[in-house]
Amino acid sequence: MKASELREKYIQYFVNHGHARIKSASLIPDNDPTVLFTTAGMHPLVPYLMGEKHPLGKRLTNVQKCIRTGDIDEVGDNTHCTFFEMLGNWSLGDYFKEESIKMSYEFLVDELKIDKEKIAISVFEGDEDAPRDEVSAKCWKDLGIAADKIFYLPKKHNWWGPAGLTGPCGPDTEIFIITREEDCCDGCSPACNCGKYVEIWNNVFMEYNKTADGKYEPLKQKNVDTGMGLERMLFTLGGYKSVYEVDVFTPVMKLLDKVVNIDKDTTKEKRIIADHIRTATFMLGDEKGITPSNVDQGYILRRLIRRALRFARQIEISPDTLPEISALYIEIYKDAYPEIGENKEKIIDELKKEIDRFDKTLNRGLAEFEKLKQYIQNNRISGKAAFRLYDTFGFPIEITIELAAESGITVDKEGFDACFKEHQQKSQAGSEQRFKGGLADAGEQTAKLHTATHLLLAALKKVLNDNSIYQRGSNITAERLRFDFNFGRPLTEEEIKEVEEQVNSVIKQNLKVTCSEMSVEKAREEGAEGAFGDRYGEVVKVYSIGNFSKEICGGPHATNTKDLGTFKITKEQSSSAGVRRIRAVLE
Ligand code: SER
């Protein structure tokens, strides 16, 4: 079966059962600081799962684009991908276990014609937070699933959520396809990783809200949240050996087969390239499109593109193949996800730019890495050396760790982080943590104020009509910014008001904050603000905010001015002779 067929069949079935079809939400979550990407169809629906009324009613269905990079190291095997589509249906305080299970069964057996003998089920075995789920087990038995195909498993397997640290969650019942007769061991069950049971669908019965202090409170409204991985389902239905045989990958795998011309098994590398470029295409083409950067989502995107390029080089594929692959995906997905077609130029353009950036230094970095290997002690690369690979050659630390592992070497990650901190950049460790579900920290507020500082400098130059104004000092806490600049007299009240208005009008334009790396010379040529001094030959980061501001800077910054709120100057005073000091806040 083709992806388009399964999408339509699924949606049609649930529409016929009273569900309203909703659009896939953006990959960038709207109101959730605890995760970087949308990881499941329920994610954008959290407010409605918590009780807010959905305009389209109590029964919803959709196909949601999702990203999960937690298993990025597994990509290359038969089943793992960093991007996937999730088919889902929801009951917002409408039907519950019985009806949900019945619809799932019917869809699988009557619509997809799956042999019911091939279906196995798991249900929650119960613990101190919630009782054993006998209701679900009975529903399955009543539909004719044999008792020995129903497994009771603990929270680790049969509990879903919350998506971040807090929020709706509950016991689930998972549906598996039995792929063979033999057990792998005594007590073989869907909890084993032996491959006998392939999970295809997860029905979550959201009855609880996990609070920040780790308690499970009953939700006022009982919901159903189900999710079926589209690619996984097609792979299972088709009886394929790997998910890369699914039709959405076929043209890409064909192209890769054609261009690879080396005498070894390149299956893993080709799959990594196919996966990473697909994910990058969706990130770049998203309605809230992101671009490669050194923080948060942009950093994950950068890592994926750079990793794909490294593997392309490793199997002697031209870097030009990567945008070609992206173009194939755009064709494949543009009907189901119109934004991908609409953003075609941007996707290809940004991809090419990032590839160019890294390709220039990749080979030199690899040579440096080879050199390093000869000099290291205790089979360990120092944090400083890893930082140099990052800073000078653009190697994300994960790539260095991966390269090292391929040679049986470790990397002093803590040492790297320390160097990173020293350079006053927000460590990607921060974003990784957030990605894992940590809460947003004060760093985010600081980043916003930092972005506001850039806007302030640009506005001062304009309002005071003085291009020789530059930064004499800056100090930012989570609460406020303090900015010193050269100017010979106090600002008038009107000027202060005008500066505020300029900054706020830029904030309202929802301008993207982008970061690119370039030589100091190039930065100067482009008119970037910043101390050029004696940094001749160095590669620096330049942050741009639309056409309004361009500064050499280490970051971190907000990704878009729209996140800044309202800018307000709280004080303007003298700092020293010829230097003024402004304090400001974001409200
Ligand atoms: N939220 C559940 C999952 O991700 C079901 O959609 O599996």
Side-chain angles (χ1 to χ4, degrees):
M1 190 183 287
K2 284 188 175 166
S4 53
E5 261 175 86
L6 180 54
R7 280 189 209 112
E8 280 320 307
K9 247 189 158 67
Y10 186 95
I11 298 295
Q12 203 49 56
Y13 176 85
F14 284 98
V15 166
N16 289 345
H17 287 77
H19 294 68
R21 178 178 193 162
I22 54 173
K23 202 179 158 290
S24 171
S26 160
L27 283 167
I28 314 296
D30 251 339
N31 294 314
D32 190 343
T34 71
V35 283
L36 290 176
F37 294 106
T38 300
T39 58
M42 57 75 68
H43 202 163
L45 294 173
V46 169
Y48 309 104
L49 295 163
M50 299 293 286
E52 201 176 296
K53 231 174 137 182
H54 194 286
L56 292 178
K58 292 180 171 181
R59 295 181 176 214
L60 307 173
T61 183
N62 86 347
V63 188
Q64 173 65 46
K65 43 186 182 176
C66 300
I67 287 179
R68 294 185 188 176
T69 59
D71 290 332
I72 189 170
D73 292 333
E74 313 284 335
V75 174
D77 70 0
N78 289 331
T79 54
H80 282 92
C81 294
T82 54
F83 170 90
F84 65 100
E85 292 174 75
M86 187 183 273
L87 300 159
N89 60 280
W90 294 274
S91 155
L92 305 171
D94 194 52
Y95 58 85
F96 206 47
K97 295 182 180 178
E98 197 171 347
E99 203 173 338
S100 164
I101 289 174
K102 191 159 165 272
M103 284 191 282
S104 291
Y105 178 89
E106 242 181 55
F107 181 70
L108 295 174
V109 176
D110 299 344
E111 299 291 320
L112 298 184
K113 312 282 179 219
I114 292 175
D115 177 1
K116 84 168 195 220
E117 300 304 322
K118 287 226 157 89
I119 293 177
I121 300 296
S122 68
V123 294
F124 182 53
E125 72 173 14
D127 64 11
E128 64 279 5
D129 296 321
R132 187 175 175 89
D133 192 1
E134 295 291 9
V135 177
S136 293
K138 181 168 183 307
C139 293
W140 288 113
K141 279 183 207 154
D142 290 348
L143 287 163
I145 302 290
D148 64 353
K149 290 195 180 120
I150 300 175
F151 298 83
Y152 289 87
L153 297 175
K155 200 178 236 135
K156 178 166 173 254
H157 297 283
N158 278 77
W159 187 274
W160 201 88
L165 276 187
T166 57
C169 57
D172 60 22
T173 180
E174 297 190 0
I175 308 172
F176 300 82
I177 296 291
I178 304 172
T179 61
R180 58 159 204 263
E181 286 272 312
E182 314 78 55
D183 284 349
C184 68
C185 60
D186 253 8
C188 176
S189 82
C192 310
N193 270 336
C194 70
K196 173 168 178 174
Y197 301 95
V198 177
E199 186 207 328
I200 51 161
W201 207 346
N202 187 7
N203 293 26
V204 184
F205 302 119
M206 288 187 167
E207 304 176 66
Y208 300 94
N209 175 39
K210 188 173 180 186
T211 59
D213 52 5
K215 288 205 185 80
Y216 293 89
E217 288 173 348
L219 269 181
K220 278 195 208 83
Q221 167 185 304
K222 285 186 181 168
N223 310 297
V224 177
D225 153 42
T226 92
M228 174 196 281
L230 177 97
E231 296 86 339
R232 177 86 70 86
M233 187 67 199
L234 291 169
F235 150 74
T236 313
L237 280 177
Y240 301 139
K241 276 203 207 66
S242 103
V243 73
Y244 296 92
E245 289 174 46
V246 170
D247 69 304
V248 291
F249 286 114
T250 328
V252 171
M253 296 317 282
K254 263 202 198 131
L255 171 67
L256 282 166
D257 284 337
K258 205 172 82 194
V259 293
V260 166
N261 200 12
I262 62 171
D263 205 13
K264 75 168 225 215
D265 179 14
T266 55
T267 309
K268 184 178 161 211
E269 290 85 352
K270 282 185 298 199
R271 288 177 179 176
I272 291 174
I273 295 166
D275 171 82
H276 288 10
I277 296 300
R278 183 170 73 140
T279 308
T281 302
F282 271 92
M283 285 185 184
L284 289 163
D286 191 84
E287 49 270 52
K288 285 198 206 156
I290 49 168
T291 46
S293 76
N294 283 333
V295 290
D296 294 345
Q297 290 97 346
Y299 179 72
I300 307 282
L301 170 60
R302 167 158 287 168
R303 252 174 78 189
L304 289 169
I305 299 174
R306 295 191 174 197
R307 191 164 186 259
L309 183 62
R310 172 170 101 76
F311 280 104
R313 282 295 189 197
Q314 196 159 310
I315 57 171
E316 297 175 20
I317 290 179
S318 154
D320 298 340
T321 311
L322 304 185
E324 268 180 62
I325 292 175
S326 182
L328 287 176
Y329 282 131
I330 293 170
E331 281 309 304
I332 294 165
Y333 285 108
K334 69 178 201 290
D335 291 338
Y337 300 93
E339 66 276 14
I340 296 293
E342 283 154 22
N343 291 324
K344 179 174 178 173
E345 263 169 46
K346 183 200 158 198
I347 298 171
I348 302 289
D349 192 49
E350 288 290 341
L351 190 58
K352 280 187 178 156
K353 271 203 279 189
E354 181 64 9
I355 289 167
D356 277 353
R357 253 178 235 137
F358 191 47
D359 201 40
K360 280 204 192 88
T361 54
L362 175 59
N363 279 335
R364 282 197 294 134
L366 288 171
E368 170 87 5
F369 180 81
E370 288 305 313
K371 248 196 281 168
L372 257 177
K373 268 175 28 187
Q374 292 160 25
Y375 296 112
I376 55 171
Q377 286 167 353
N378 305 327
N379 252 0
R380 193 166 171 80
I381 291 178
S382 72
K384 223 168 150 188
F387 186 74
R388 192 173 132 70
L389 281 172
Y390 167 81
D391 202 35
T392 313
F393 302 104
F395 278 43
I397 181 67
E398 294 79 8
I399 289 193
T400 302
I401 292 173
E402 192 171 87
L403 273 169
E406 284 167 17
S407 304
I409 300 171
T410 58
V411 178
D412 176 8
K413 173 85 173 21
E414 276 170 24
F416 171 88
D417 288 342
C419 290
F420 207 103
K421 249 203 177 135
E422 209 178 294
H423 283 70
Q424 295 191 314
Q425 286 160 337
K426 185 175 176 185
S427 143
Q428 83 300 325
S431 58
E432 279 284 89
Q433 232 142 44
R434 260 187 38 170
F435 189 59
K436 281 190 206 131
L439 281 170
D441 56 9
E444 202 171 316
Q445 203 47 34
T446 320
K448 287 180 193 167
L449 283 159
H450 191 174
T451 304
T453 306
H454 283 212
L455 296 177
L456 171 60
L457 172 58
L460 284 169
K461 289 175 111 166
K462 286 209 170 78
V463 172
L464 303 175
N465 198 12
D466 185 349
N467 230 345
S468 67
I469 290 176
Y470 66 100
Q471 170 176 325
R472 290 289 303 266
S474 165
N475 175 293
I476 300 170
T477 70
E479 280 74 44
R480 54 110 186 107
L481 67 85
R482 198 183 77 201
F483 183 75
D484 295 353
F485 61 102
N486 57 316
F487 198 59
R489 61 162 174 86
L491 271 60
T492 65
E493 256 178 54
E494 285 86 304
E495 285 167 339
I496 291 176
K497 215 168 140 227
E498 220 181 303
V499 169
E500 280 178 344
E501 273 168 12
Q502 280 244 357
V503 171
N504 283 320
S505 99
V506 174
I507 290 175
K508 283 210 198 88
Q509 287 169 35
N510 296 354
L511 296 179
K512 261 195 214 128
V513 183
T514 54
C515 173
S516 44
E517 289 174 31
M518 60 185 81
S519 65
V520 176
E521 289 79 352
K522 177 115 194 296
R524 196 196 320 244
E525 240 173 63
E526 291 197 7
E529 285 284 340
F532 298 101
D534 55 6
R535 296 157 77 177
Y536 188 83
E538 244 182 71
V539 173
V540 290
K541 294 199 184 81
V542 174
Y543 277 90
S544 305
I545 310 171
N547 289 326
F548 191 71
S549 150
K550 187 174 266 204
E551 280 196 43
I552 294 185
C553 174
H557 280 280
T559 48
N560 192 304
T561 58
K562 70 167 189 271
D563 298 324
L564 264 48
T566 307
F567 175 81
K568 195 164 182 301
I569 292 176
T570 52
K571 201 166 198 177
E572 194 276 337
Q573 64 190 136
S574 163
S575 163
S576 59
V579 179
R580 304 300 301 176
R581 169 168 288 183
I582 282 181
R583 287 173 191 268
V585 294
L586 288 171
E587 290 174 347

